[in-house]
């Protein structure tokens, strides 16, 4: 389908259901975003002897004693709460929204990178090197498709169900896939988003890359020295309906430059942003807010600033919300799309939180200090740039 045809078909994003370190209600999360309140807590739970700031979810999660064993994981507990919050955000209820469509015409697309690997870590710690794994261990928990199966079974959905795992762009691509399922006529509605939970694999993996900061991260600062990690779940109901807040454009690209480092010239990131704007049919000058990928690492921030300067004659108001939540990996794309949704709905912008010392070697960015813009934002662009050069940009637009 051509971009022009894509633009003729609406793609409405419901109010999101979100749980992250900022909270589990849209009101509390919005308050934290607009006031620049970090949701980080120092812990050495995953790196004994090395305390790190982490975006851990403190909200009580679901009791899993009645769940099938293969569904018992922290990822799925996060998703269960996000589903509950999604239902609360809809005009009637999630069940009522689903009842408008045959269950075989509803899809589920979930992005993740950890799935239930944390539960496997716990099982291995219990068993040791030679003992058999505990009786309640289920390998299926750690399969990448497990979160999507969990959501589908919980809701009785029988349409297309699958997961995407492209590192930090996973759930941005899940929303892009939901859009394609609607526009192709395959589905009438899609539950889409992502979830990732903190575990030893990811925290120690990023530590081994020397990419983790031991203080709250400082995206685009001259003093930045790495990322903080976090966990979250964020879900939308995506429907082919006009009005509200639309997923108006998607841009995707693949650098294939390096397994973990971004292409230094920013060309892959630029292609993704440009693709989203072209698909939405808007110009760079019409973008009112840019949610930066903004990890706080030396190379990623440099690349992204360069790509933004190549696309925009003057930077739109921009911020990296990873300074507030930590980098939630496979959940980040959907989580930050939810932040853009809240910005458009409230007419306010998430603050950029750092030490105020912008790196003079970076291309200039208009980082948000005042959450009240000169005019209510109408178009928001959200960037997700992943390992392997797996890039995605989402353009959200508010329709009156």
């Amino acid at each position: 389908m051509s971009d022009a045809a894509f633009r003729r078909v609406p793609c409405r994003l419901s109010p999101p259901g979100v749980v992250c370190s900022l909270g589990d209600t849209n009101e509390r999360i919005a308050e934290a975003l607009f006031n620049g309140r970090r949701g980080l807590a120092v812990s050495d739970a995953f790196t004994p002897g090395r305390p790190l700031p982490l975006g851990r979810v403190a909200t009580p999660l679901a009791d899993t004693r009645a769940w099938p064993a293969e569904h018992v994981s922290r990822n799925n507990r996060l998703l269960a709460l996000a589903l509950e919050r999604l239902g609360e955000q809809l005009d009637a209820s999630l069940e009522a929204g689903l009842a408008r469509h045959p269950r075989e015409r509803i899809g589920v697309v979930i992005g993740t990178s950890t799935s239930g690997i944390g539960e496997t870590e716990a099982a291995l710690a219990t068993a040791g090197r030679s003992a058999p794994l505990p009786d309640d261990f289920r390998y299926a928990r750690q399969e990448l498709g497990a979160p999507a199966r969990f959501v589908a079974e919980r809701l009785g959905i029988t349409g297309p169900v699958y997961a995407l795992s492209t590192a930090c762009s996973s759930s941005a691509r899940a929303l892009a896939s939901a859009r394609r399922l609607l526009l192709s006529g395959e589905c009438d509605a899609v539950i889409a988003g992502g979830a990732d939970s903190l575990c030893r694999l990811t925290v120690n993996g990023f530590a081994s890359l020397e990419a983790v900061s031991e203080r709250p991260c400082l995206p685009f600062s001259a003093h930045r020295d790495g990322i903080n990690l976090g966990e979250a779940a964020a879900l939308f109901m995506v429907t082919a309906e006009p009005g509200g807040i639309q997923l108006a454009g998607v841009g995707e690209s693949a650098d294939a430059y390096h397994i973990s480092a971004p292409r230094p010239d920013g060309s892959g990131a630029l292609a993704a942003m440009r693709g989203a704007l072209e698909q939405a049919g808007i110009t760079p000058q019409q973008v009112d807010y840019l949610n930066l990928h903004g990890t706080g690492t030396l190379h990623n921030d440099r690349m992204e600033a360069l790509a933004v300067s190549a696309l925009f004659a003057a930077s739109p108001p921009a911020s990296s919300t990873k300074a507030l939540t930590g980098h939630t990996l496979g959940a980040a794309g959907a989580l930050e799309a939810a932040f853009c949704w809240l910005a458009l709905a409230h007419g306010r912008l998430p603050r950029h939180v750092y030490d105020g010392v912008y790196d003079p070697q970076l291309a200039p960015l208009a980082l948000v200090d005042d959450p009240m813009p000169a005019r209510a934002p109408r178009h928001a662009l959200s960037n997700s740039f992943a390992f392997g050069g797996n890039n995605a940009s989402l353009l959200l637009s508010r329709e009156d």
Side-chain angles (χ1 to χ4, degrees):
M1 185 182 290
S2 68
D3 281 353
F6 263 52
R7 289 197 294 269
R8 288 195 296 269
V9 181
C11 183
R12 184 173 185 171
L13 297 177
S14 73
V18 179
V19 55
C20 66
S21 63
L22 300 180
D24 66 310
T25 67
N26 286 351
E27 293 75 18
R28 183 175 181 185
I29 291 167
E31 184 272 333
L33 288 174
F34 305 142
N35 289 288
R37 176 173 57 80
R38 292 188 191 254
L40 305 176
V42 176
S43 171
D44 68 349
F46 306 101
T47 50
R50 185 187 179 187
L52 296 173
L54 299 171
R56 301 185 76 178
V57 169
T59 307
L61 301 178
D63 184 340
T64 61
R65 284 176 290 183
W67 288 16
E70 64 270 18
H71 287 330
V72 178
S73 70
R74 185 168 178 82
N75 251 30
N76 288 345
R77 295 176 75 200
L78 292 170
L79 281 169
L81 183 54
L83 278 173
E84 182 179 331
R85 296 296 179 259
L86 178 62
E88 294 168 357
Q89 291 300 316
L90 298 178
D91 291 337
S93 67
L94 181 55
E95 187 63 32
L98 295 173
R100 292 186 293 145
H101 313 286
R103 294 299 166 108
E104 67 272 13
R105 296 281 303 165
I106 303 172
V108 175
V109 189
I110 303 296
T112 190
S113 69
T114 62
S115 193
I117 195 68
E119 283 64 39
T120 299
E121 292 173 354
L124 291 170
T126 299
R129 291 182 176 272
S130 57
L133 291 168
D135 291 340
D136 63 353
F137 172 75
R138 298 293 186 276
Y139 177 82
R141 295 171 182 165
Q142 75 174 53
E143 292 177 338
L144 290 172
R149 289 197 302 271
F150 168 74
V151 171
E153 290 184 23
R154 194 169 182 84
L155 301 178
I157 289 171
T158 58
V161 176
Y162 56 94
L164 294 171
S165 188
T166 56
C168 310
S169 62
S170 298
S171 54
R173 287 185 177 267
L175 289 169
S177 294
R179 190 170 190 269
R180 292 191 191 95
L181 287 170
L182 295 178
L183 301 182
S184 69
E186 185 73 19
C187 291
D188 297 326
V190 182
I191 303 297
D196 254 348
S197 47
L198 287 164
C199 60
R200 295 176 72 95
L201 175 71
T202 52
V203 178
N204 286 280
F206 277 90
S208 71
L209 292 172
E210 299 181 349
V212 173
S213 179
E214 296 189 357
R215 60 183 175 178
C217 68
L218 304 170
F220 301 98
S221 167
H223 304 135
R224 69 191 186 279
D225 62 356
I227 69 172
N228 306 141
L229 292 167
E231 60 184 359
L235 295 171
F236 294 87
M237 178 181 283
V238 192
T239 53
E241 298 176 286
I245 293 174
Q246 298 279 318
L247 179 54
V250 172
E252 298 173 278
S253 69
D255 290 355
Y257 170 77
H258 186 275
I259 192 170
S260 60
R263 185 177 288 276
D265 65 5
S267 56
L270 175 61
M273 289 189 288
R274 184 172 284 152
L277 298 186
E278 289 175 352
Q279 194 174 91
I282 73 166
T283 66
Q285 291 74 25
Q286 291 176 277
V287 174
D288 299 303
Y289 171 64
L290 174 60
N291 182 277
L292 297 157
H293 186 60
T295 60
T297 60
L298 292 174
H299 299 304
N300 192 281
D301 287 4
R302 182 184 301 123
M303 173 279 296
E304 188 171 13
L306 187 61
V308 170
S309 70
L311 179 61
F312 296 95
S315 165
S319 61
S320 169
T321 50
K322 290 180 177 67
L324 308 181
T325 64
H327 190 346
T328 60
L329 305 179
L335 179 66
E336 292 166 23
F339 293 165
C340 288
W341 194 103
L342 292 170
L344 295 176
H346 288 266
R348 302 175 71 189
L349 303 180
R351 288 182 184 270
H352 184 85
V353 175
Y354 73 139
D355 61 357
V357 184
Y358 190 78
D359 187 344
Q361 297 184 22
L362 300 182
L365 294 172
L367 299 178
V368 175
D369 181 53
D370 184 352
M372 296 300 297
R375 67 174 188 271
R378 216 180 153 77
H379 303 289
L381 184 66
S382 185
N383 286 339
S384 297
F385 304 139
F387 279 4
N390 222 304
N391 306 309
S393 293
L394 305 178
L395 194 284
L396 277 65
S397 296
R398 174 175 52 84
E399 290 189 355
D400 295 327

